[in-house]
Amino acid sequence: MTSWIEDPAGGRARGPRGLARAWVEALVRPRRLFANGVAPGDQAPALTFAVAVAAAFALGWMAADPSAVPGIVASVPVSALIAFLVVVALAAPVGLHLTAAVATVSVILASVELDDGLSLRDRGGVSETVQVVAYASSPMALAGPPVPALRIACGAYAAALLLIGFRVVHGTSWPRTLVAGVPPALLGYGVGYRVIASVRTVLA
């Protein structure tokens, strides 16, 4: 079966249907998505995807636990709407680019070669790293309800997808992939999506 994103640079599917297809493919055929759906300079769909995942996470959290809605104004529904808009317009884009910045540094460190002097091995670019971070977050769309086991499972899955994505896109060995992937996974999924907090809850 042909992937829905064989030619991302030529017009990747947009809109709700395209997001849904990307989400399903990230979950069930990640290697195909990272091989065919990540292209230099094609960050816009990935940013939209990351925002959609964060929006689903926020909606799930607020629906399952209304007490999580910050008391911005007297009206709880209005406070929930304001919080949701802040997530969509500010927190998700900033979180993606901060995580991608850490990932970029990690990828560079993982690319260091010491043979015949210090050099960097060939790897994908920054835009590809941003896209991998975004698409690897797909399981977190299901992690909204504050159930520690659910968030831990989704976070572990997202981290695994990130490692697969880096290995496919940057062509790294598994040791180098771990060096490149663990720091952004801990920041983006562990801190940003509260997976580390869930681990602490379970251990406590």
Side-chain angles (χ1 to χ4, degrees):
M1 184 173 63
T2 302
S3 172
W4 73 278
I5 42 179
E6 291 291 342
D7 184 15
R12 184 181 305 173
R14 263 65 167 178
R17 186 175 180 180
L19 287 174
R21 287 182 174 180
W23 184 72
V24 171
E25 190 155 11
L27 292 177
V28 302
R29 291 187 295 271
R31 291 184 183 277
R32 177 180 293 181
L33 181 141
F34 292 126
N36 298 327
V38 173
D42 196 27
Q43 295 185 45
L47 175 58
T48 302
F49 184 90
V51 169
V53 168
F57 176 86
L59 284 175
W61 191 1
M62 290 187 287
D65 183 16
S67 65
V69 177
I72 301 173
V73 296
S75 172
V76 174
V78 175
S79 292
L81 177 60
I82 294 173
F84 177 75
L85 293 176
V86 169
V87 168
V88 171
L90 182 61
V94 170
L96 171 63
H97 285 95
L98 179 59
T99 304
V102 172
T104 298
V105 174
S106 297
V107 167
I108 292 174
L109 292 176
S111 301
V112 172
E113 296 275 9
L114 297 178
D115 295 336
D116 298 324
L118 187 66
S119 63
L120 295 177
R121 63 186 301 276
D122 291 337
R123 63 192 184 282
V126 174
S127 65
E128 289 99 314
T129 299
V130 173
Q131 293 170 66
V132 172
V133 170
Y135 292 122
S137 71
S138 55
M140 306 315 299
L142 304 174
V147 179
L150 174 63
R151 287 185 174 173
I152 292 170
C154 290
Y157 196 4
L161 293 179
L162 184 68
L163 296 177
I164 292 171
F166 280 173
R167 185 161 168 79
V168 171
V169 171
H170 295 298
T172 52
S173 63
W174 276 117
R176 291 180 184 274
T177 299
L178 290 173
V179 172
V182 170
L186 288 175
L187 175 63
Y189 315 136
V191 176
Y193 284 101
R194 299 184 61 80
V195 174
I196 292 177
S198 296
V199 171
R200 289 175 176 170
T201 298
V202 171
L203 294 179

